[in-house]
């Protein structure tokens, strides 16, 4: 791979919960690396997706949605956002079509830093009438110095246009990762995220947010991957909800997760799930460290 005129840089994708940051990164990278559900606050880590071409390498960072932390886990999540902004060569600040300004402290801090920013209005597939042009005018008046682009990460409308602009703004620099690198996360991480995604899709209210998944065993051979996953909840009552009557709920999650795991890894998967209680884990430093939220 020639390094002459080679472009390489870090792109941080930030915004409030549920604006489509994960869908956008997956569309830009071309792989499903981040959880996508209709529920907010599903991304808890900084997840890097690496896209390498003949003369470029772009390292995208999907980040947790911006919020005011209510407990220790959320404090750690916001530290992941701050870390991604510190090494960013470009920031994509994502809002959805219906969003209005509430507290844009982070955006204003990014603009003040002098770091290049693209303001991305997502979910244009929901546009009706003049809604999109009105929203462009709305944000342009608030932030006239920031370039605004519009996309639908879901349908990939204008994602190619956004990519061309990202590439234009990347600095000349050698690649940061080997050319075949797709992400900075290990396979066990994605296995746990795929299972956690099914929990978000199958349970309501607070239960998914109180749940963490840890891969206790990951064994792979040519034919099959054998996984043992431990699902942690905060209270005994939540354990009963996760398992369900006669074990039907956890069986459904296991079946759906296994199908997604097989799709992701491209081979057969044998999955065992166990549900355990880790009382108030979202507030305890020792458990947050165990689950990878603290160094």
């Amino acid at each position: 791979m020639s390094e002459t005129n080679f472009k390489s840089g870090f792109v941080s994708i930030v915004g409030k919960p549920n604006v489509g940051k994960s869908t956008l990164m997956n569309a830009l990278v071309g792989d499903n690396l981040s959880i996508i559900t209709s529920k907010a606050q599903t991304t808890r880590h900084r997840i890097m997706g690496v896209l390498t071409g003949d003369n470029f390498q772009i390292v995208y960072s999907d980040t947790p949605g911006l919020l005011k932390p209510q407990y220790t886990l959320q404090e750690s999540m916001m530290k992941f956002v701050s870390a991604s902004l510190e090494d960013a060569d470009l920031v994509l600040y994502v809002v959805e079509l219906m969003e209005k300004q509430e507290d844009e402290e982070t955006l204003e801090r990014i603009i003040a830093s002098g770091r290049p920013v693209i303001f991305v209005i997502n979910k244009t597939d929901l546009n009706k009438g003049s809604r999109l042009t009105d929203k462009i005018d709305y944000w342009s008046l608030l932030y006239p110095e920031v370039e605004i682009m519009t996309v639908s990460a879901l349908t990939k409308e204008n994602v190619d246009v956004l990519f061309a602009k990202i590439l234009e703004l990347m600095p000349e620099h050698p690649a940061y990762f080997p050319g075949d690198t797709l992400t900075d996360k290990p396979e066990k991480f994605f296995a746990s995220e795929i299972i956690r995604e099914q929990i978000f899709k199958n349970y309501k209210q607070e239960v998914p947010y109180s749940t963490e998944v840890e891969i206790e065993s990951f064994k792979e051979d040519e034919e099959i991957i054998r996984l043992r996953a431990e699902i942690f909840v905060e209270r005994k009552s939540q354990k009963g909800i996760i398992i369900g009557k006669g074990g039907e709920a956890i069986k459904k999650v296991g079946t759906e997760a296994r199908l997604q795991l097989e799709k992701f890894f491209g081979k057969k998967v044998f999955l065992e799930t166990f549900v355990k209680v880790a009382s108030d884990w979202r507030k305890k430093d020792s458990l947050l460290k165990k689950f990878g939220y603290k160094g």
Side-chain angles (χ1 to χ4, degrees), residues 19 34 45 92 98 137 148 169 194 219 260 263 291:
V19 296
S34 289
H45 294 264
L92 303 184
M98 304 304 292
D137 292 343
I148 294 175
L169 294 171
I194 287 167
K219 296 178 180 178
Q260 292 303 312
K263 184 178 178 182
F291 296 142

Side-chain angles (χ1 to χ4, degrees), residues 45 72-73 75-76 79-80 284-286 288-295:
H45 294 264
T72 314
L73 169 62
E75 291 173 3
S76 296
K79 286 178 181 176
F80 290 143
K284 293 181 178 177
D285 286 346
S286 60
L288 288 169
K289 187 173 183 179
K290 167 183 169 67
F291 296 142
Y293 294 103
K294 286 181 172 286

Side-chain angles (χ1 to χ4, degrees), residues 151-176:
V151 302
S152 168
L154 184 65
T155 67
K156 296 184 173 57
E157 180 187 7
N158 284 346
V159 169
D160 57 338
V161 179
L162 175 61
F163 171 75
K165 188 64 181 180
I166 292 168
L167 188 57
E168 178 187 321
L169 294 171
M170 287 294 96
E172 288 196 8
H173 193 282
Y176 288 94

Side-chain angles (χ1 to χ4, degrees), residues 13 20-37 43 47-51 60-62 153-154 156 159 182-183 190 197 264:
I13 305 173
K21 299 183 298 298
S22 296
T23 310
L24 180 59
M25 187 181 84
N26 290 341
L28 287 164
V29 175
D31 276 272
N32 291 335
L33 298 177
S34 289
I35 279 185
I36 303 170
T37 78
T43 301
I47 302 172
M48 289 187 185
V50 184
L51 182 66
Y60 296 100
S61 286
D62 184 21
L154 184 65
K156 296 184 173 57
V159 169
L182 180 60
T183 180
F190 290 104
E197 180 175 27
F264 185 84

Side-chain angles (χ1 to χ4, degrees), residues 56-279:
F56 70 87
Q57 184 177 86
I58 301 173
V59 185
Y60 296 100
S61 286
D62 184 21
T63 62
L66 298 169
L67 47 76
K68 286 187 167 60
Q70 301 296 314
Y71 43 83
T72 314
L73 169 62
Q74 291 184 340
E75 291 173 3
S76 296
M77 288 161 58
M78 292 307 97
K79 286 178 181 176
F80 290 143
V81 178
S82 296
S84 79
L85 291 173
E86 285 174 11
D87 58 24
D89 295 293
L90 171 67
V91 177
L92 303 184
Y93 192 92
V94 184
V95 297
E96 62 176 340
L97 186 61
M98 304 304 292
E99 188 175 333
K100 291 188 176 181
Q101 186 191 45
E102 291 174 356
D103 177 12
E104 305 303 330
E105 179 184 340
T106 301
L107 174 58
E108 289 166 5
R109 182 157 47 91
I110 295 166
I111 294 171
S113 74
R115 187 174 280 109
V117 182
I118 299 176
F119 197 95
V120 182
I121 301 176
N122 189 24
K123 304 187 182 181
T124 57
D125 50 294
L126 303 178
N127 181 44
K128 293 180 180 178
S130 64
R131 185 181 290 171
L132 179 57
T133 54
D134 291 347
K135 194 59 65 174
I136 294 170
D137 292 343
Y138 173 83
W139 289 111
S140 297
L141 284 170
L142 288 171
Y143 301 103
E145 69 275 46
V146 178
E147 178 163 6
I148 294 175
M149 300 190 74
T150 63
V151 302
S152 168
L154 184 65
T155 67
K156 296 184 173 57
E157 180 187 7
N158 284 346
V159 169
D160 57 338
V161 179
L162 175 61
F163 171 75
K165 188 64 181 180
I166 292 168
L167 188 57
E168 178 187 321
L169 294 171
M170 287 294 96
E172 288 196 8
H173 193 282
Y176 288 94
F177 295 93
D180 59 353
T181 302
L182 180 60
T183 180
D184 64 324
K185 298 293 187 188
E187 290 179 322
K188 284 174 68 172
F189 172 83
F190 290 104
S192 66
E193 287 288 275
I194 287 167
I195 297 166
R196 196 165 65 85
E197 180 175 27
Q198 296 308 316
I199 291 170
F200 267 88
K201 288 181 176 179
N202 281 279
Y203 300 94
K204 298 177 180 179
Q205 298 174 343
E206 180 64 14
V207 171
Y209 298 100
S210 301
T211 305
E212 181 60 41
V213 178
E214 186 173 53
I215 304 301
E216 194 270 333
S217 175
F218 187 107
K219 296 178 180 178
E220 181 175 8
D221 59 34
E222 288 185 16
E223 300 295 328
I224 195 168
I225 297 173
R226 300 180 188 277
L227 291 174
R228 176 188 169 102
E230 295 181 338
I231 300 170
F232 291 89
V233 291
E234 291 191 305
R235 295 188 296 278
K236 191 175 179 180
S237 60
Q238 294 169 341
K239 180 177 178 179
I241 293 170
I242 292 288
I243 294 172
K245 186 176 181 181
E248 286 300 312
I250 191 64
K251 182 179 179 182
K252 183 172 185 285
V253 165
T255 299
E256 293 176 2
R258 180 179 56 76
L259 293 171
Q260 292 303 312
L261 287 162
E262 290 179 343
K263 184 178 178 182
F264 185 84
F265 290 112
K267 63 170 62 177
K268 289 288 184 182
V269 170
F270 175 76
L271 173 63
E272 290 183 286
T273 55
F274 301 86
V275 186
K276 297 184 177 182
V277 178
S279 298

